[in-house]
Amino acid sequence: GASPSQTLAINTTSIPATPSIIQGNAIICENSTNSYSVTNDPNAIDYSWTLPASWTGTSTVNSIPTASFSTGGDILVTANNICGSSAAQLLTVTVAIIDNSVTLTGSTLTANSLVGTYQWIDCFDNSFLVNATNQIFNATANGDYAVINTQNGCSDTSSCFTISGLGLNENALNIITISPNPSNGIFSINSDNL
């Protein structure tokens, strides 16, 4: 006679396909956080991500949060299962570096970058200076000033520059005449050096 038959269900699978195009920004701001992803493959058990040097971020799923620094590079991802790993999908990422240098000449500050938008600020409280949105800023008061340069959605702030010596010539205060003295509230100030 024959024993009862036994059955074994066998499911076949294959190496996952190359992941879909990596979704995420190809041009990013320096020192920013970003997220990248691919469409989930039902044949994949997990994913392996490779980030540019000095970036941080880890993941074994189809998306990854990242922190970038001042250099770009290639992001690679493979889909994996028990049969092996797919070919890698690649995205080259560029980090937008903004020239935030400034030239100081007398009481005039000039942003060296020829592109972008400009907003000059008072470094004392980081407040925006009204109508100070040109590449060149002519200070009318003593203080510390900087510029915020924005390009392609990225912003960077320059160092602060000190403007001093605006206003009265202090050497003229030695040869100054106030009259009448005493006064009823109306008086004149005169100096040959003003």
Side-chain angles (χ1 to χ4, degrees), residues 86-157:
S86 69
Q89 183 62 265
L90 177 141
L91 174 66
T92 300
V93 178
T94 302
V95 175
I97 304 295
I98 298 174
D99 179 2
N100 67 352
S101 62
V102 171
T103 300
L104 171 62
T105 307
S107 61
T108 300
L109 295 164
T110 303
N112 293 330
S113 174
L114 301 176
V115 296
T117 60
Y118 313 94
Q119 176 61 65
W120 293 91
I121 63 171
D122 183 338
C123 293
F124 176 73
D125 59 4
N126 292 325
S127 61
F128 288 5
L129 299 172
V130 177
N131 297 324
T133 56
N134 295 320
Q135 182 186 7
I136 298 172
F137 171 67
N138 292 306
T140 57
N142 295 327
D144 294 324
Y145 302 101
V147 67
I148 301 170
N149 189 350
T150 302
Q151 301 171 22
N152 299 318
C154 300
S155 296
D156 200 5
T157 304

Side-chain angles (χ1 to χ4, degrees), residues 40-113:
N40 193 39
D41 183 343
N43 288 328
I45 295 174
D46 62 23
Y47 292 83
S48 298
W49 292 88
T50 304
L51 299 174
S54 80
W55 284 31
T56 59
T58 59
S59 176
T60 57
V61 296
N62 66 315
S63 64
I64 185 170
T66 66
S68 66
F69 295 95
S70 60
T71 59
D74 294 334
I75 297 175
L76 298 158
V77 60
T78 60
N80 314 304
N81 66 15
I82 60 172
C83 295
S85 297
S86 69
Q89 183 62 265
L90 177 141
L91 174 66
T92 300
V93 178
T94 302
V95 175
I97 304 295
I98 298 174
D99 179 2
N100 67 352
S101 62
V102 171
T103 300
L104 171 62
T105 307
S107 61
T108 300
L109 295 164
T110 303
N112 293 330
S113 174

Side-chain angles (χ1 to χ4, degrees), residues 29 42 159:
C29 301
S159 299

